[in-house]
Each structure stands twice: as C-alpha cells, then as structure tokens.
Amino acid sequence: MTSKKEINSQWKHYGWEEKFAGVLQKPVTLSEIECLKNSRDKTSVWKLTLNSGSETVPVILKIFQQPLKENHLVEMNMYRKAYPVFQEMMPKMIWLESDVKNGEFWLFTECLEPVRGQIKLRPYHLERMIPTVAKFHALTFKNRLSDKQATLFDSWLPRYESKELTAERIQHIEKTKEYLDLAMQDPDLRKVVEPAYDIIKVILGKGPIFFPEVIEAGQCLIHGDLHIHNICCQDTSDEHNWPVQLIDWESAKYAPCWYDLVVLVELLIDFRGDWQKKEDDIRSRCVDIYNKEMAKYGIVFKEDPVKLLKMNYLQRVLEKRLLNHLRRVLNGEKSLLLKRYLEKIVVWGKELNLY
Ligand SMILES: Nc1ncnc2c1ncn2[C@@H]1O[C@H](COP(=O)(O)OP(=O)(O)O)[C@@H](O)[C@H]1O
Ligand SMILES: [Mg+2]
C-alpha cells in the first residue's frame, strides 16, 4: 500500500515539480499530502496540496495498482483520449505516469469540489444536476460524433451490445438463478426471497434483454456510476442549473442513456427511506427534466419517460445488481437493497408486463 513517504519520494524521483510547472504554467512545490482513500482495493486516492507563490493548488492523485482491471484502463482513457469531447464535464488531467514501481499508474487530475459536503442533499438538488447529465449524454447520443471524435473511443470503450458484455449478462442471469436457489435453502434468507421466487424465476427466463425499449430509447457514453459521491460542482449558487463535473470514470461505457438516471435518481430513492414517501413525485420531476433537456438537443423519446426509467431500473437489477446483492447476503454481509430490489421486480414487473 502507498504511503505519504512514498509519494514524497516518487515526487522527487520523477521530477514532477518541473513537469507540473510546465502543464500548470507556474512553478509549484509539494506542501501537503492527504489520503482520501486507501483500502485493500486496487486503487488509492490522495489529495496533494501544491504551493505556487502565495497560491495553493490542490491536485488529486489516483493510483492504479497491478494487475490493472479493464475499468481502470477505461478511466485512464477517459482522461487521456475522451477529454476533448467532455472537457466541460470532467476534471483536467495534469499528468499520467505509467510504470511507477511495480507497474502502477499514477494519475494526477485537477481537484474539484464534491457536491457532497457543500449541501445537505434534497430532492430538488437532483433537478439542478440533471441538465448537465442530459448535455453530457447528448454529445455522444446514437453515435452523433464526428468521425474524428469517434476514433477517440475505438478499441477501449466497452459497449453494452458487444459480444463480451452480452455473454457476461447471460452468465450473470444464470448465476442469479443459482443464487436464488441457494438463498431458498437458508432459513432466514428464504423468508425474504420466497414471496418473489417464482415470479423472478419466470422473469429471468426472458433475459438477457428484458425490455427492448431500453435499447430502442438510445445509447450514448454514460458515466455508469453516477451516484452523488462522484458528482462535483464548483458553484452551487444557481437555482436552476449547476455546472456539474463528474469524477470516477471507471464504469464509463456506451450503453442505454437512462442508466445514469437510474443510479442518480432511483438508487438514491432506494437508499433514502426518508424520500420514499414522495418517491413518485421525485421520480416524475427528475425524469421530466431529463426528458425536456434531451429534447433541447433534438432527442425525443417515444416511450413515457417514467416507464423508461422503470424499465432501465429493472433491466439493470435483473442483469447484474440482484446477483451482487444475493452474493453479498449469501456471504453473510448485509444488503440494504435486496429486499427493495425483490419488491420492485414484483411490482414494476407486473406493471410493465414482464409476467
Ligand atoms: N478530481 C477530484 N476532485 C475532488 N475530489 C476527488 C476527485 N477525485 C476523487 N475525489 C475524491 O476521492 C473519492 C474517491 O475517488 P474516486 O475516483 O471516486 O474513487 P472510487 O473508485 O474509489 O470511488 C471521491 O469520492 C472524492 O471524494
Ligand atoms: Mg467514487
């Protein structure tokens, strides 16, 4: 695991002071190092404070350890290659050093202000973030890029409809069936799973695409992990539209556009018991804004947008999330979402004619 001492010594070894001075166009010295995340995970995140005269310049360092995962390469490629397309919505890369000690990649980026920490999150805050999400989606919606821009994404951007991701979905669904059976053999878990068991077994047989509408609505480059911790904003004073920037690009892919709204809105509702009294209202306001904002870019959805959100939610749960949460509880860990997933599959599955 990386330590502050090591960052200091690599800082000198690689001569980053001079390299950064070139990029930032001002002389800098390293003054402070703060650890933001350093778990057994394959990445650690640090905040470095640089001094430039009387000015301080905060910089984020994300360290990717070997063996690199595919999503680590995706994040680095977002900074290395896709930045020209999305520069408004992402921090700037300052430096990427490959092969630091045992093949680690050290990615230095601009430090932004996470939304969390600036505000006490309320449902109306989501409405201020959604216009930027729509703008971000519209840039690549249905491959609407110039040929030159499109080549930026060739060879590294995962695609929802690729052979690999399709095979992965099929595998996940098979595994979900197995885990449901295992859960039925555990007396405590059985109580949770049994009311939905028969219905979910029938539904899973219809995969891997449960709603063609999800694909038909249109795909674009999505962030893929758009929860509140990954959203930054340098100015939250505007009451209508925040200039949002996104961090943590590991899950970026070319995929159904509504997936980002599922994470941003629906998953938050799932976690926030206190928002659930007003969930219909929160959901419909958010999807309405997304729908109207997308229309500004000439993107019109044929399906009712609330229905689209629900379909995308169920598709995402059935192809992967249900499996993750079943695995968790079977390993003796807690899951705040399993019960809610099961209930929503039953209720929305009926509403959307899945069974
Ligand atoms: N560019 C940045 N500006 C400000 N804070 C950041 C930045 N990048 C990461 N962070 C902080 O570090 C945390 C973890 O970084 P992130 O890239 O999201 O890693 P993980 O994949 O572990 O979620 C973020 O939730 C955020 O608080
Ligand atoms: Mg994150």
Side-chain angles (χ1 to χ4, degrees):
M1 268 202 285
T2 313
S3 62
K4 289 186 189 182
K5 192 167 155 224
E6 193 193 339
I7 293 173
N8 260 313
S9 92
Q10 301 292 11
W11 178 265
K12 291 194 193 86
H13 175 77
Y14 283 94
W16 284 325
E17 206 154 275
E18 272 150 50
K19 291 172 175 169
F20 283 31
V23 178
L24 298 167
Q25 299 191 324
K26 52 191 167 196
V28 289
T29 53
L30 176 57
S31 105
E32 264 175 61
I33 303 173
E34 181 192 344
C35 180
L36 299 183
K37 190 199 109 180
N38 197 6
S39 53
R40 279 174 295 118
D41 207 3
K42 289 286 170 205
T43 58
S44 64
V45 182
W46 304 79
K47 181 174 173 177
L48 313 189
T49 305
L50 312 182
N51 285 341
S52 180
S54 57
E55 200 192 339
T56 58
V57 184
V59 166
I60 295 290
L61 163 62
K62 190 162 179 176
I63 299 177
F64 301 89
Q65 290 162 27
Q66 289 289 351
L68 281 190
K69 292 206 253 162
E70 200 191 328
N71 56 342
H72 295 158
L73 288 168
V74 169
E75 176 157 43
M76 286 187 267
N77 281 325
M78 282 300 296
Y79 285 101
R80 274 195 299 201
K81 302 193 174 157
Y83 181 76
V85 178
F86 303 115
Q87 46 184 301
E88 234 182 285
M89 291 108 187
M90 53 189 298
K92 204 182 175 115
M93 181 172 88
I94 297 166
W95 195 261
L96 177 65
E97 196 75 59
S98 55
D99 207 12
V100 180
K101 38 170 206 181
N102 310 313
E104 288 177 359
F105 282 76
W106 288 33
L107 171 69
F108 297 90
T109 62
E110 187 188 352
C111 179
L112 304 174
E113 290 294 332
V115 160
R116 194 184 56 120
Q118 295 185 60
I119 48 153
K120 183 170 180 325
L121 188 68
R122 302 239 189 263
Y124 63 81
H125 290 130
L126 297 179
E127 297 171 31
R128 298 176 185 177
M129 300 176 204
I130 289 171
T132 314
V133 177
K135 192 174 187 185
F136 158 54
H137 285 170
L139 287 168
T140 55
F141 193 79
K142 292 195 176 167
N143 288 314
R144 52 161 71 174
L145 286 169
S146 66
D147 288 347
K148 188 162 161 261
Q149 284 178 323
T151 59
L152 297 171
F153 302 101
D154 282 354
S155 82
W156 60 270
L157 187 69
R159 292 189 159 253
Y160 186 82
E161 288 191 286
S162 67
K163 259 201 262 150
E164 292 79 7
L165 291 193
T166 304
E168 215 172 76
R169 281 195 287 279
I170 293 170
Q171 211 185 11
H172 288 158
I173 290 166
E174 286 311 306
K175 209 78 208 146
T176 309
K177 293 178 191 164
E178 265 177 49
Y179 282 10
L180 278 173
D181 290 338
L182 285 175
M184 289 289 275
Q185 288 164 27
D186 175 291
D188 287 337
L189 266 177
R190 187 183 178 107
K191 285 188 211 123
V192 180
V193 169
E194 196 165 26
Y197 178 83
D198 290 336
I199 291 170
I200 297 184
K201 273 293 183 81
V202 170
I203 292 177
L204 288 173
K206 300 187 171 180
I209 296 296
F210 300 92
F211 300 101
E213 293 90 337
V214 164
I215 310 282
E216 283 157 18
Q219 300 183 63
C220 62
L221 193 147
I222 64 164
H223 178 278
D225 193 16
L226 198 57
H227 55 72
I228 203 71
H229 293 85
N230 290 333
I231 298 180
C232 299
C233 181
Q234 302 304 90
D235 178 14
T236 49
S237 63
D238 190 323
E239 285 184 12
H240 300 288
N241 187 358
W242 286 351
V244 161
Q245 288 170 295
L246 310 177
I247 56 171
D248 195 1
W249 290 90
E250 291 180 29
S251 305
K253 55 181 78 65
Y254 192 79
C257 65
W258 284 87
Y259 269 38
D260 276 342
L261 268 275
V262 167
V263 178
L264 180 62
V265 178
E266 203 55 46
L267 220 62
L268 198 56
I269 294 176
D270 283 343
F271 275 116
R272 296 287 303 248
D274 55 333
W275 287 17
Q276 284 165 16
K277 293 186 293 290
K278 291 200 173 168
E279 63 175 289
D280 289 340
D281 191 36
I282 298 169
R283 182 179 302 121
S284 69
R285 290 175 75 105
C286 287
V287 301
D288 190 46
I289 290 177
Y290 182 69
N291 195 40
K292 287 198 175 114
E293 290 293 322
M294 290 296 265
K296 289 186 187 165
Y297 305 101
I299 298 161
V300 178
F301 299 107
K302 278 190 284 176
E303 230 10 280
D304 164 46
V306 172
K307 228 169 151 182
L308 275 176
L309 183 84
K310 292 180 175 179
M311 287 174 172
N312 278 265
Y313 176 91
L314 289 190
Q315 178 67 42
R316 186 175 176 277
V317 167
L318 291 164
E319 75 191 14
K320 175 96 185 272
R321 312 314 294 183
L322 179 59
L323 173 65
N324 289 355
H325 286 262
L326 281 169
R327 180 182 286 137
R328 245 183 239 185
V329 291
L330 285 165
N331 284 337
E333 294 167 44
K334 280 220 171 343
S335 161
L336 293 172
L337 293 183
L338 180 63
K339 224 170 141 233
R340 211 162 142 89
Y341 281 165
L342 296 170
E343 284 163 9
K344 278 164 102 170
I345 295 170
V346 172
V347 176
W348 287 1
K350 180 98 202 152
E351 191 183 318
L352 300 167
N353 293 321
L354 260 192
Y355 69 95

